[in-house]
Amino acid sequence: MKLAEFNSADATLAAETLRPCIDVTRWVDTVAGARPFASKDALLAFASQAASPFTPAEVESAMAHHPRIGERPTAGTAEASMSRSEQAGVDPADTAVAHALAQGNREYEEKFGRVFLIRAAGRTAPEILRTLNERLANSPAEEDTIVAQQLREIAVLRLEGLITE
């Protein structure tokens, strides 16, 4: 969608455009309510600021929509399509990495009670796996901070891909 279209869209359409970026109602409403934006850069900067901080409840809600790294969602939604694209660096045919990611995901979920989340776009499978293994050493409080930051990065990156000048 072009920025001019986003700026002039009714509130419902603007919210529907934003929601696949991250399903956090406060963020969606804040960004949609701040229109019009003078530029895409202004939109992205505002969206990033509006995402900081996400509350623990917002993080938990947003996490419900994220698949495990290495497991590509099959739904036909915009969010699932974005997730598949973001995980393009994880080749499911690489069975050694797929197995290591699955094992790491299980360990992470046992320790933290949620799926491992990382901004996967632009990262290779070995880099994701290395980061997963490093983050297993974190405390729950450290991980809460990292997960919220990763969600912010994902939301802004997705928005950047949705809006053109």
Side-chain angles (χ1 to χ4, degrees):
M1 173 181 279
K2 291 195 176 288
L3 178 64
E5 294 172 288
F6 177 71
N7 280 337
S8 63
D10 68 44
T12 301
L13 179 58
E16 288 172 4
T17 301
L18 292 167
R19 195 160 310 281
C21 298
I22 187 165
D23 193 3
V24 172
T25 300
R26 178 197 52 83
W27 181 82
V28 168
D29 291 347
T30 299
V31 174
R35 296 170 304 138
F37 293 96
S39 67
K40 182 176 176 179
D41 287 341
L43 166 62
L44 296 175
F46 184 86
S48 181
Q49 177 189 25
S52 186
F54 283 133
T55 67
E58 289 170 336
V59 169
E60 183 178 336
S61 173
M63 290 293 294
H65 300 278
H66 284 273
R68 289 178 181 91
I69 291 293
E71 293 181 7
R72 306 266 169 98
T74 58
T77 65
E79 187 173 12
S81 176
M82 290 174 182
S83 182
R84 283 189 297 273
S85 175
E86 292 160 0
Q87 289 198 44
V90 179
D91 180 3
D94 185 340
T95 56
V97 171
H99 177 73
L101 282 171
Q103 177 62 35
N105 282 331
R106 281 190 297 277
E107 291 175 23
Y108 186 93
E109 289 173 28
E110 286 173 14
K111 181 171 182 177
F112 297 109
R114 63 174 167 235
V115 299
F116 170 71
L117 181 82
I118 187 170
R119 180 196 41 79
R123 291 188 166 130
T124 65
E127 181 182 1
I128 292 168
L129 182 58
R130 184 174 50 255
T131 302
L132 169 56
N133 288 323
E134 289 168 0
R135 285 176 49 190
L136 282 168
N138 289 342
S139 70
E142 289 169 323
E143 227 9 63
D144 288 348
T145 300
I146 291 169
V147 168
Q149 178 59 37
Q150 293 300 297
L151 282 169
R152 282 190 288 280
E153 290 179 23
I154 291 166
V156 173
L157 186 66
R158 287 178 174 182
L159 181 58
E160 184 176 14
L162 285 177
I163 303 296
T164 60
E165 289 281 353

